[in-house]
Amino acid sequence: MNLENLYSKKRKLYIADKKARLKLANFEKKSQFILRKERAKRLLMLGILVEKAEIDNQPIETILGYLLESKNLSLKQEKSFLVEGKKLFLKKSRAEKTREVEFSYMTYLEKKERAHKLIGIGALFEIAGLDKKDKAALVGYLIQFKKRGLHEKKVYKEAGTRTLIKRKNNYK
């Protein structure tokens, strides 16, 4: 084999390798995009649970503190929340019906802003480690928030704030 043939083969292999690396990079990019979309959908659904329980007007620190508190529930309490949550899923509240009408009149930017807010709220479930739990049980637990006193809500807010500060310091 002469030197020109070797250089020619080397060049062809280099081009083939480059194409393979580009294909792999494109595949990884597409798969990451799909994973991000799936996560966003899951977080949006979790955020909608908070909206359904009508506590989306609370500070995120308070919601996070309340979610963290759910780790201390007994199995009996979780089952009762599951039953309550299933009942709530079956009926539509007046606020939900109003929200549906409002949603139909929202502009694209308003819908995008709402989705962003709900995804952020849904991320609180991930932080609390509740993103894999049954949605009916979660909404059953969330509707109990309204029955909590101001002192308890303050404790939840402090716990949520501590958790967020700890997470922020861990990522620096």
Side-chain angles (χ1 to χ4, degrees):
M1 247 185 175
N2 64 14
L3 195 57
E4 285 181 25
N5 285 345
L6 283 175
Y7 283 129
S8 176
K9 282 188 176 188
K10 183 179 176 184
R11 180 76 181 145
K12 286 178 185 177
L13 288 173
Y14 175 77
I15 291 170
D17 183 48
K18 190 173 182 180
K19 285 180 182 178
R21 282 185 281 142
L22 284 173
K23 280 184 180 181
L24 180 62
N26 282 336
F27 175 76
E28 287 176 353
K29 194 174 181 181
K30 285 178 185 176
S31 63
Q32 288 298 318
F33 177 77
I34 291 169
L35 288 174
R36 277 196 322 272
K37 286 289 187 185
E38 289 300 317
R39 179 175 178 262
K41 285 178 192 175
R42 193 176 73 250
L43 295 180
L44 179 64
M45 292 304 296
L46 291 168
I48 289 172
L49 295 180
V50 173
E51 190 179 65
K52 189 169 185 70
E54 298 175 11
I55 60 170
D56 54 322
N57 58 344
Q58 296 293 322
I60 61 166
E61 296 88 359
T62 307
I63 296 171
L64 177 59
Y66 186 63
L67 291 173
L68 291 169
E69 183 72 22
S70 74
K71 291 182 177 181
N72 303 330
L73 297 176
S74 69
L75 193 60
K76 185 178 179 181
Q77 288 174 313
E78 282 187 28
K79 287 183 180 179
S80 71
F81 292 140
L82 180 67
V83 171
E84 287 183 50
K86 286 184 178 179
K87 286 179 188 176
L88 186 67
F89 276 134
L90 293 175
K91 69 173 188 173
K92 282 192 177 181
S93 68
R94 180 175 288 140
E96 259 188 293
K97 291 175 184 173
T98 305
R99 214 175 0 254
E100 283 178 5
V101 171
E102 290 173 357
F103 186 74
S104 65
Y105 289 108
M106 285 180 161
T107 64
Y108 170 76
L109 290 176
E110 290 170 332
K111 288 178 184 177
K112 190 175 179 179
E113 185 178 310
R114 175 183 173 265
H116 181 75
K117 176 187 172 194
L118 293 176
I119 289 170
I121 291 172
L124 299 176
F125 287 87
E126 263 187 356
I127 293 169
L130 301 173
D131 56 324
K132 305 285 190 250
K133 285 221 175 204
D134 187 89
K135 288 170 183 42
L138 288 172
V139 80
Y141 177 70
L142 289 170
I143 58 176
Q144 299 300 314
F145 181 80
K146 293 179 184 177
K147 297 177 184 174
R148 304 293 187 238
L150 287 175
H151 176 70
E152 287 176 297
K153 290 178 182 178
K154 185 178 179 186
V155 171
Y156 296 144
K157 185 172 184 170
E158 290 169 358
T161 303
R162 279 193 308 272
T163 302
L164 290 175
I165 289 171
K166 187 191 287 186
R167 282 178 53 87
K168 184 178 180 182
N169 290 336
N170 286 344
Y171 285 115
K172 283 187 176 181

